[in-house]
Amino acid sequence: MLRKFSALALAVGMFCAVSVAAQDYPNRPVSLVVPFAAGGPTDTLARNLAQHLSKTLKQQVIVENRAGAGGTLAASVVAKSKPDGYQVLIAHIGMSTAPALYRKLPFNPLTDFEYIGQVADVPMTLIARTGLPPDNYKDFVAYVKANKDKLNLGNAGLGAASHLCGLLFMSRIEANIQTIPYNGTGPAMAALMGNQIDLMCDQTTNTTGAIQSGRVKVFGVTSKKRIPSLQFVPTLHEQGLKDFEVAVWHGLYVAKGTPKPVLDRLNAALVAAVKDPQFRDALVKLGAEAVTPDRATPESLAKHLKAEIEKWGPIIKKAGVYAD
Ligand code: ASP
């Protein structure tokens, strides 16, 4: 009887401690975990967002880069973290492609997380080093096909958006070229600008400045419509790659079991950020778009993630790419 009572008292005590901690959240800095290297597109988005989350949470939000395994390492770290809201994952479309790409994924995107909401949509651009001879899309495709054994394409590893986009492009033009994985497309971009690699498909948040200043060549954007900040760049769709579209979307996640008051505080901070004209404008300049507040919700992220897993699974299986 006494033992039962002590166990009950302990459970009640623990519950109270968690709830008090949740009410008090955040009383120390929060980590925003980025699955790729510093200097890349996810990192840039995260650093912009962190400032705004900090403002609402009235607490420091520190960007932590945990690159590896095409972004899946960071997701697995956050899935296994203490469910207290101090480790928040910012992950992109890779969250929905990883289940098909990895035979042994150490986490389940549908069951191991609590969702905070969607953050932003970011189109991609197909770019090349300035030394590559072709100057327009038609010549570019002919050049890639004729030189497929000599060229290479940088990406951020299996599961990264740059990997997915490159894969889809190569399959559409029927030219398989060698891929070179980096810890993120920040370092891959440096290699491209240094003429060490030939091609890359990467998010506008990483490529807009380099395109505008002519430090890379651009052959198209992956959205269905042209992007306001890169109006002079035609879409791949309008250049003949009919219906080609890769829309990278981002969401915020914390470990399963994180208390509701913590989820609510994080969600309120995310909603405040996506409503803030400063955040929205910063993203527009980078060719991206913050989501509307109705998409910055756990329900919207859950629905979108599930739909994207269902969309990409068969495409990836058909392409026959996977990692063990
Ligand atoms: N977002 C990039 C990709 O998926 C990687 C990065 O953010 O560095 O290719």
Side-chain angles (χ1 to χ4, degrees):
M1 174 78 177
L2 194 63
R3 214 179 291 149
K4 266 193 195 154
F5 178 75
S6 318
L8 183 69
L10 188 69
V12 170
M14 269 169 66
F15 177 74
C16 290
V18 169
S19 336
V20 168
Q23 298 307 336
D24 195 23
Y25 175 86
N27 60 16
R28 58 186 164 87
V30 174
S31 284
L32 184 56
V33 182
V34 171
F36 299 100
T42 315
D43 182 68
T44 299
L45 174 65
R47 283 175 201 273
N48 268 293
L49 180 66
Q51 285 176 19
H52 290 268
L53 296 180
S54 273
K55 237 196 288 174
T56 314
L57 294 173
K58 298 190 173 41
Q59 187 57 259
Q60 250 187 313
V61 175
I62 299 164
V63 170
E64 196 187 320
N65 299 86
R66 299 291 292 261
T72 60
L73 177 77
S76 140
V77 166
V78 173
K80 292 177 181 67
S81 68
K82 199 169 163 200
D84 56 8
Y86 287 95
Q87 285 205 288
V88 180
L89 172 72
I90 180 161
H92 66 16
I93 190 171
M95 204 67 162
S96 60
T97 54
L101 285 168
Y102 283 81
R103 288 202 196 167
K104 285 183 219 134
L105 195 63
F107 61 89
N108 183 335
L110 294 173
T111 53
D112 290 350
F113 297 95
E114 304 289 350
Y115 306 134
I116 308 299
Q118 293 186 71
V119 181
D121 296 313
V122 190
M124 304 191 88
T125 47
L126 186 58
I127 56 174
R129 64 181 169 85
T130 47
L132 206 81
D135 282 321
N136 59 59
Y137 177 75
K138 199 165 156 267
D139 293 351
F140 171 70
V141 172
Y143 184 84
V144 173
K145 285 176 144 202
N147 295 281
K148 59 177 188 295
D149 298 334
K150 295 186 205 116
L151 295 172
N152 59 40
L153 179 131
N155 65 28
L158 194 67
S162 46
H163 167 252
L164 177 73
C165 181
L167 192 80
L168 295 175
F169 178 69
M170 290 190 291
S171 97
R172 284 290 295 270
I173 67 162
E174 294 173 1
N176 210 8
I177 62 178
Q178 190 198 355
T179 55
I180 306 201
Y182 288 81
N183 262 347
T185 44
M189 184 64 148
L192 190 84
M193 292 195 293
N195 280 304
Q196 290 150 23
I197 56 171
D198 300 309
L199 314 173
M200 186 160 73
C201 188
D202 197 25
Q203 286 146 266
T204 52
T205 27
N206 197 32
T207 62
T208 301
I211 292 170
Q212 286 167 341
S213 59
R215 281 173 294 154
V216 295
K217 282 190 175 182
V218 62
F219 292 104
V221 296
T222 67
S223 47
K224 274 286 190 65
K225 284 196 197 133
R226 292 194 186 199
I227 305 167
S229 58
L230 290 171
Q231 269 298 317
F232 62 97
V233 184
T235 67
L236 290 172
H237 167 74
E238 76 185 80
Q239 297 182 98
L241 219 54
K242 215 170 167 319
D243 292 327
F244 188 94
E245 188 179 20
V246 189
V248 178
W249 53 274
H250 295 77
L252 291 188
Y253 306 77
V254 287
K256 190 84 191 169
T258 303
K260 177 87 168 51
V262 172
L263 301 178
D264 290 346
R265 287 227 58 199
L266 282 168
N267 177 259
L270 172 63
V271 170
V274 302
K275 279 186 177 167
D276 191 321
Q278 252 187 354
F279 180 66
R280 301 195 71 84
D281 290 350
L283 293 201
V284 168
K285 287 197 186 92
L286 292 167
E289 195 177 8
V291 296
T292 45
D294 57 309
R295 288 177 58 205
T297 63
E299 296 75 26
S300 171
L301 175 54
K303 199 168 151 215
H304 193 61
L305 175 66
K306 191 165 174 291
E308 287 278 286
I309 290 176
E310 283 162 11
K311 169 182 166 179
W312 290 111
I315 299 173
I316 291 165
K317 289 223 163 75
K318 199 167 156 221
V321 268
Y322 56 82
D324 281 318

